Amino acid sequence: MLQPKITDVTKTRIIQFIVLVLFIISTSFIALDEYKHTMQETRDKLNEKIISLHLETFSELSKIFEKDTQNNFVLSVQNKIQLRENFEDMLRLLRISTVQNLFVVTRDKDGNYYFLLDSETKSQKRANIYEPFNPLGDFWDNAYKYKKAQIFHHDDNKDLWISVAYPIIENDKTVAVIGADISNQLDINMQMNLRNFTGFFFWILMLSALLFILFYVMTMYFRRKYYEGYKDPLTKVYNRKYLYDIIVKKLKRRYQLFMIDIDFFKKVNDTYGHNAGDYVLQEVASRIQLLIREEDSLIRYGGEEFLIYATQLNREQCLVFAQRIRKSIAEKPIIYKNIECHITVSIGINPQANNRENFDEMLKKADDALYEAKLSGRNCVKIADEAN
């Protein structure tokens, strides 16, 4: 059959739709998980970049300290008040909104820490020179010991993100440490932005999936409506429009045509009424439908005429097939409201139709064979070459 039967198409499309929805959902969750992983990596890289920028700033600051004090930082800050004030002003300029504290401390030989510089603007809060500094953790000592910047992450602190200890080195010896407490406000803002963007991405993903599903459903709906236009509303088999719009345009090189006519159908209508006639048409179509193959097409060609388009049958197979159809209808009466209708059909076959010749001519040969079957007493099968 050139086009799958609509019921089969519907079942296939439903299965395809379910598979598609499951695929979209699973793909969406995989994509979202991958996206979250990518966002986490992005956040980590941004954090690394922010830390790197702070360290670069402190590196440049330490170079200025070394240059302005001629490698005698601690004594210069201690003895030169104006220089100390200039350095503290410099620290204040560097103290952006996310830097809560920015200061410089030194350590004596006993391991005690003291303030040298403090960027606090309010005098009552500002630490005085050589005011004791109480370090938390050993990363200050590590900055002294290893002469490398140390980072401490405040995982349990709601206000602080990291503390930085950057060593000021003179003659390969740490003489002081630049200290900074950096709030988590930047990290929170970044997380909020990433979270908002993640939500935005999720809804875009869901919207895209829904639009795709909607498009698929609408396509399936209109496709079904399109093919419903090719169905006979009474018998639910294909109609003549389907024959000429679909089949005739895609004829196989060799094909077979079976013209089937219900014998004395007018008598059924006149005797039992048109409702009985409609029921007979439906039952005949149903019995034929059960006998044809998947690749065959059954068409209601006219009032009580049906046409079967088949392929890959030889003359003998055509005859056997037609006789099966004839017997399936003749041997069992059609019951309509307790009325037994003994129905027979006449069948004409063109077993050697080909697409090199005009389709209507091929159809006429089957119709002529049908006419011969009726002249021969009805309830019989005739083949075109015999009829001629």
Side-chain angles (χ1 to χ4, degrees):
M1 187 166 60
L2 293 178
Q3 182 66 33
K5 295 179 176 62
I6 289 179
T7 53
D8 295 336
V9 170
T10 303
K11 292 178 182 177
T12 302
R13 294 300 179 189
I14 290 174
I15 294 172
Q16 290 177 348
F17 176 72
I18 293 172
V19 172
L20 177 65
V21 170
L22 293 175
F23 174 77
I24 290 175
I25 292 174
S26 60
T27 303
S28 298
F29 277 107
I30 292 172
L32 185 61
D33 183 68
E34 182 64 26
Y35 172 78
K36 287 181 177 179
H37 179 71
T38 302
M39 287 296 100
Q40 184 61 45
E41 287 185 348
T42 302
R43 177 194 167 197
D44 293 342
K45 288 179 181 179
L46 285 173
N47 286 338
E48 290 176 4
K49 185 64 176 177
I50 292 169
I51 293 173
S52 176
L53 289 173
H54 281 298
L55 294 181
E56 289 176 10
T57 300
F58 297 152
S59 174
E60 294 299 320
L61 184 62
S62 67
K63 291 177 183 178
I64 294 174
F65 288 161
E66 292 170 18
K67 180 181 177 181
D68 290 353
T69 59
Q70 298 179 351
N71 286 331
N72 198 1
F73 177 74
V74 175
L75 288 177
S76 296
V77 170
Q78 177 183 349
N79 298 325
K80 298 178 180 180
I81 297 176
Q82 186 60 49
L83 181 64
R84 183 168 69 248
E85 291 178 351
N86 291 340
F87 283 165
E88 286 185 336
D89 288 339
M90 192 180 302
L91 291 179
R92 293 185 187 102
L93 291 175
L94 295 175
R95 187 174 168 180
I96 58 177
S97 59
T98 56
V99 180
Q100 288 191 359
N101 302 299
L102 184 58
F103 51 88
V104 178
V105 296
T106 187
R107 188 179 71 174
D108 63 19
K109 60 182 179 179
D110 295 326
N112 299 313
Y113 286 87
Y114 300 91
F115 279 98
L116 289 178
L117 302 171
D118 189 4
S119 64
E120 178 58 53
T121 57
K122 297 179 180 180
S123 58
Q124 63 270 27
K125 292 185 178 181
R126 187 187 312 140
N128 297 316
I129 187 170
Y130 281 110
E131 183 176 321
F133 171 73
N134 297 317
L136 297 176
D138 58 359
F139 82 111
W140 299 94
D141 291 332
N142 291 337
Y144 255 90
K145 180 179 179 181
Y146 298 113
K147 293 177 284 189
K148 291 182 179 180
Q150 302 294 313
I151 308 295
F152 180 80
H153 289 266
H154 297 274
D155 297 327
D156 299 327
N157 194 310
K158 295 181 180 180
D159 298 322
L160 291 179
W161 171 36
I162 58 173
S163 290
V164 180
Y166 192 92
I168 298 174
I169 300 172
E170 293 178 359
N171 300 320
D172 200 34
K173 181 181 178 181
T174 302
V175 296
V177 174
I178 301 172
D181 294 323
I182 300 172
S183 74
N184 59 8
Q185 190 60 45
L186 180 63
D187 189 51
I188 290 173
N189 291 339
M190 184 167 58
Q191 288 187 56
M192 287 296 296
N193 290 333
L194 290 176
R195 191 177 295 115
N196 292 337
F197 192 74
T198 299
F200 175 76
F201 174 82
F202 175 79
W203 286 113
I204 288 294
L205 191 65
M206 290 297 100
L207 181 61
S208 299
L210 288 174
L211 287 175
F212 186 82
I213 292 172
L214 179 62
F215 174 78
Y216 185 87
V217 170
M218 293 300 292
T219 301
M220 191 167 64
Y221 172 78
F222 285 114
R223 181 183 177 89
R224 179 180 175 85
K225 286 295 183 183
Y226 174 76
Y227 282 107
E228 280 180 352
Y230 290 132
K231 299 293 280 188
D232 174 54
L234 178 64
T235 60
K236 307 304 179 185
V237 300
Y238 291 119
N239 55 24
R240 189 182 295 196
K241 178 177 173 61
Y242 178 83
L243 172 66
Y244 286 98
D245 284 0
I246 305 296
I247 293 180
V248 172
K249 293 178 180 179
K250 297 182 179 181
L251 292 172
K252 298 292 185 180
R253 186 175 64 85
R254 286 187 63 255
Y255 59 94
Q256 296 76 48
L257 297 175
F258 300 76
M259 284 294 293
I260 305 169
D261 184 82
I262 301 176
D263 298 327
F264 302 111
F265 181 73
K266 185 177 183 301
K267 186 177 179 180
V268 174
N269 276 333
D270 294 341
T271 304
Y272 304 112
H274 288 283
N275 288 339
D278 289 345
Y279 185 81
V280 167
L281 287 170
Q282 291 171 336
E283 182 65 19
V284 168
S286 177
R287 293 186 186 185
I288 298 174
Q289 190 80 56
L290 291 173
L291 294 175
I292 65 174
R293 302 168 300 173
E294 180 72 20
E295 60 269 26
D296 300 333
S297 293
L298 175 61
I299 297 132
R300 185 182 178 190
Y301 189 76
E304 67 268 25
E305 285 187 325
F306 294 90
L307 172 68
I308 296 175
Y309 170 86
T311 59
Q312 300 179 341
L313 295 177
N314 57 35
R315 182 183 180 282
E316 289 72 20
Q317 289 171 330
C318 286
L319 185 58
V320 171
F321 179 43
Q323 289 290 4
R324 286 180 60 200
I325 293 173
R326 184 190 66 79
K327 290 177 181 178
S328 73
I329 295 169
E331 291 177 352
K332 184 180 178 180
I334 296 174
I335 309 298
Y336 175 74
K337 292 184 177 180
N338 298 322
I339 300 172
E340 287 191 3
C341 300
H342 294 274
I343 303 298
T344 61
V345 296
S346 300
I347 304 175
I349 309 170
N350 181 355
Q352 297 178 340
N354 64 82
N355 61 5
R356 295 187 303 274
E357 298 185 46
N358 181 271
F359 176 77
D360 287 334
E361 289 296 323
M362 298 294 97
L363 185 61
K364 186 176 183 304
K365 291 183 178 182
D367 196 48
D368 289 343
L370 172 63
Y371 180 72
E372 185 67 22
K374 287 189 171 292
L375 290 179
S376 300
R378 295 181 172 83
N379 191 23
C380 63
V381 177
K382 291 294 181 180
I383 298 181
D385 53 4
E386 290 180 349
N388 294 328

